[in-house]
Amino acid sequence: MSKSLIEFEIVNLVRNKRKDLNMSQAKLASLIQVSAGYIGQIEMKNSDSMYSYDQLNRLALLFNCSPKEFIPEEPIPSIGSENDPA
């Protein structure tokens, strides 16, 4: 099963913050106490692995921002199936 469109957008918002800080998946994983492989799975479109609310809160603390910054400002229109981020 793959991520829904909104889940994939959340992942992209986190990924963009991580990349803006030139932070590797391994470094991020260490800071929020998960494995580097788990971050890799989360960032894959076709994986159903996703950040928990607690992890999003840890990311907000780490990035010194509001957890709201990981939620899209506008609703994500559904194209075909809700679970088809392609």
Side-chain angles (χ1 to χ4, degrees):
M1 188 168 155
S2 61
K3 290 175 183 51
S4 69
L5 295 172
I6 186 103
E7 289 172 330
F8 195 63
E9 184 61 23
I10 290 167
V11 169
N12 282 332
L13 290 168
V14 173
R15 180 190 297 127
N16 291 341
K17 281 207 175 281
R18 176 179 69 74
K19 286 186 172 187
D20 286 348
L21 296 173
N22 294 316
M23 185 181 294
S24 68
Q25 289 179 345
K27 179 66 175 176
L28 178 64
S30 172
L31 292 170
I32 67 167
Q33 302 171 344
V34 298
S35 72
Y38 184 64
I39 299 297
Q41 287 177 352
I42 288 173
E43 292 189 0
M44 287 175 41
K45 188 186 308 186
N46 63 347
S47 167
D48 62 351
S49 297
M50 189 59 191
Y51 292 110
S52 70
Y53 292 121
D54 287 335
Q55 290 166 340
L56 289 173
N57 188 61
R58 279 187 243 147
L59 289 165
L61 289 167
L62 175 66
F63 294 140
N64 195 30
C65 68
S66 169
K68 291 190 236 179
E69 290 194 34
F70 304 125
I71 304 297
E73 290 198 25
E74 298 295 324
I76 304 296
S78 180
I79 302 172
S81 168
E82 174 75 16
N83 289 321
D84 184 14

